[in-house]
Each structure stands twice: as C-alpha cells, then as structure tokens.
C-alpha cells in the first residue's frame, strides 16, 4: 500500500511513502479518495518508493514531477512508465536501480536532476528535445550505457559535472544548442573515440570554457580521436580541451 500527503493548497496529493512492503507490479492511481472526496495524485514525493521491491511501476498521467530519491535503490525494478505529463525528474530519482536497463523519457520533461539515473543499468537513452539541462552525474557510473541520442531540435543548454562519467559511450553527438559542458562530464569514458558537434567550430569555441567547463577536464582521461563540428564538415579538437592521444581529421 502507498501513503499520500496533501500538497500546498490541499486540493491535490503526492505519493509520500509506503504503508507496507511494496513489491511486484505497482500501479499508482491517478486519484485517491479521502473522506468522500477525490484528489488527484500530482507528484511522486521525495523518497516515496525508495528501496522498495517493485519490479515495475506505472505512473499516472496526473503526475507532473518525480521528486528526489523517489525511486532510489529499487534493485528489482526493471520497468517504469513515465507519462507525458511529467516535466521534472528530480535528484537521484532512479539512482541505483541496478536492474533498470531501459526507460523512455517523455517529451514533456525539461530537466533531468543530479544523479537522476546514477549507477542504473541503462544501456541506452534518448534525451527529448524539451530537456534544457542534464544535472551532475545524471547518468554517471552507468556501466552498461553505450548509446545516448538527442532528439532533433534539441533545446539542451547544459551538461553537468560527471553527467556521463564512466559510461561505455563510443561516440556522441552534442546538439548545437549546448552552451555549457561542466568538468568531467565525459571523463573516464574509456571507449569514447568520437564527438560530433552539430554546430560550427565558432559555436564550439563559445562554449563554457571556465575552470569548471569543458576546457578543464570535460573529456579528460579518454582516448578521443576526433571532433567534428557539423555533419558535413571537418574540424580539429580545439587546443583548450585536455585529452589523451588527441588526433585531428
């Protein structure tokens, strides 16, 4: 069973915790009844389902946010259905879900919080065009993550510290909309060989090259061979990126 708490204003509720052991297939209702009244469930609250034994979770279309540590450490979880009503995935929301190999992030989501999928078993992920920020360690230390794709017309602006740290990426295409890549965002990605930037070399040079930006160690400790600046052009790795075994094309 699930516990609920009233949100500010008292007209909607959030999943607040577990009234007992939660396991197996979990279907969160869109509404709950209390004292003869019906209330919409609009959020999966902080820590609400953490370390439960659920194998699957279905989130209703009434929910707009998944808060911090909401589904943290659910080691048996293999499937999550996130509706297109959700706009925010909070800090460590699905971190350490070590059986979760895939998930679809809906096109309504605008931000992916710090450590949102840290140490999960994801093998691939598609970032919808609506996402503007990927938090620190959002997909960090996902040991099986090999493919990251960004939908066309991406609005992504920032990629956080260690966002894809210690993953199995072999190449990645960074949208032209990106203006900031923080330190160690792709570090210790031992298989990462190619980076494609959808913008121009001039746009690339205007990225955040502060001490905590890409110029510090965004791609440190990787064997990066090539950087291309647009699908049809040829570029060189800018001098202010620290990489090992840097080559040009």
């Amino acid at each position: 069973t699930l516990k609920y708490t009233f949100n500010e204003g008292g007209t909607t509720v959030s999943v607040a915790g577990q009234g007992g052991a939660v396991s197996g297939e979990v279907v969160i209702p869109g509404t709950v009844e209390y004292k003869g009244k019906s209330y919409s469930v609009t959020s999966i609250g902080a820590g609400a389902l953490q370390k439960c034994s659920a194998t699957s979770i279905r989130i209703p279309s009434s929910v707009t946010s998944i808060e911090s540590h909401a589904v943290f450490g659910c080691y048996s979880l293999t499937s999550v259905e996130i509706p297109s009503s959700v706009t925010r995935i909070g800090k460590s929301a699905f971190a350490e879900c070590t059986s979760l190999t895939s998930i679809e992030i809906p096109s309504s989501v605008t931000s992916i919080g710090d450590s949102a999928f840290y140490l999960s078993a994801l093998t691939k992920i598609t970032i919808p065009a609506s996402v503007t920020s990927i938090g620190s360690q959002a997909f960090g230390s996902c040991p099986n993550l090999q493919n990251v794709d960004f939908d066309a017309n991406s609005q992504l602006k920032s990629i956080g510290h260690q966002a894809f740290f210690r993953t199995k990426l072999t190449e990645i295409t960074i949208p032209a909309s990106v203006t900031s890549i923080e330190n160690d965002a792709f570090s210790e990605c031992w298989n990462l060989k190619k980076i494609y930037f959808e913008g121009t070399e001039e746009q690339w040079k205007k990225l955040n090259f502060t001490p905590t930006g890409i110029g510090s160690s965004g791609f440190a400790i990787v064997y990066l061979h090539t950087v291309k600046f647009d699908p049809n052009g040829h570029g060189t790795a800018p001098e202010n990126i620290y990489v090992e075994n840097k080559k040009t094309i």
Side-chain angles (χ1 to χ4, degrees):
T1 59
L2 299 175
K3 291 182 177 181
Y4 302 88
T5 186
F6 283 105
N7 296 323
E8 186 176 354
T11 58
T12 61
V13 298
S14 294
V15 179
Q18 306 165 51
V22 173
S23 62
E25 298 180 358
V26 175
V27 178
I28 298 171
T31 59
V32 294
E33 299 291 326
Y34 181 70
K35 291 186 177 181
K37 290 185 177 181
S38 182
Y39 298 90
S40 291
V41 179
T42 60
S43 174
I44 313 300
L49 296 172
Q50 67 177 340
K51 297 191 175 180
C52 73
S53 298
T55 56
S56 68
I57 298 174
R58 183 183 300 173
I59 300 171
S61 60
S62 56
V63 168
T64 59
S65 67
I66 302 171
E67 301 298 337
S68 65
H69 298 82
V71 194
F72 171 84
C74 295
Y75 306 125
S76 300
L77 186 66
T78 60
S79 173
V80 179
E81 292 183 28
I82 302 177
S84 59
S85 53
V86 170
T87 61
R88 184 177 74 257
I89 298 175
K91 180 179 179 179
S92 300
F94 296 97
E96 298 189 31
C97 290
T98 53
S99 297
L100 187 63
T101 59
S102 65
I103 196 167
E104 183 175 342
I105 299 175
S107 59
S108 53
V109 171
T110 60
S111 65
I112 299 173
D114 295 350
S115 304
F117 296 95
Y118 178 79
L119 269 178
S120 70
L122 294 176
T123 60
K124 61 181 180 180
I125 195 71
T126 298
I127 309 296
S130 55
V131 171
T132 60
S133 63
I134 297 175
S136 298
Q137 296 189 324
F139 298 95
S141 295
C142 290
N144 302 317
L145 185 60
Q146 297 182 36
N147 295 294
V148 175
D149 295 315
F150 295 92
D151 279 344
N153 302 312
S154 175
Q155 301 175 46
L156 185 66
K157 298 296 183 185
S158 63
I159 299 174
H161 168 69
Q162 294 187 341
F164 296 98
F165 174 76
R166 289 184 180 172
T167 57
K168 285 189 176 179
L169 293 176
T170 58
E171 62 180 62
I172 191 165
T173 299
I174 298 174
S177 57
V178 171
T179 58
S180 175
I181 300 177
E182 294 186 11
N183 63 306
D184 295 322
F186 296 93
S187 69
E188 297 191 36
C189 293
W190 306 110
N191 299 316
L192 183 60
K193 300 294 190 297
K194 297 180 181 180
I195 298 200
Y196 299 92
F197 181 60
E198 292 184 324
T200 64
E201 184 171 0
E202 288 304 309
Q203 287 175 289
W204 179 267
K205 289 178 178 179
K206 290 179 181 178
L207 282 171
N208 175 13
F209 290 129
T210 64
T212 58
I214 194 172
S216 170
S217 57
F219 296 94
I221 321 179
V222 300
Y223 293 93
L224 184 65
H225 287 186
T226 59
V227 175
K228 285 188 178 181
F229 295 103
D230 61 61
N232 301 309
H234 297 277
T236 59
E239 292 303 318
N240 54 353
I241 296 181
Y242 170 75
V243 295
E244 296 182 14
N245 290 3
K246 183 174 68 177
K247 297 180 181 179
T248 61
I249 54 173

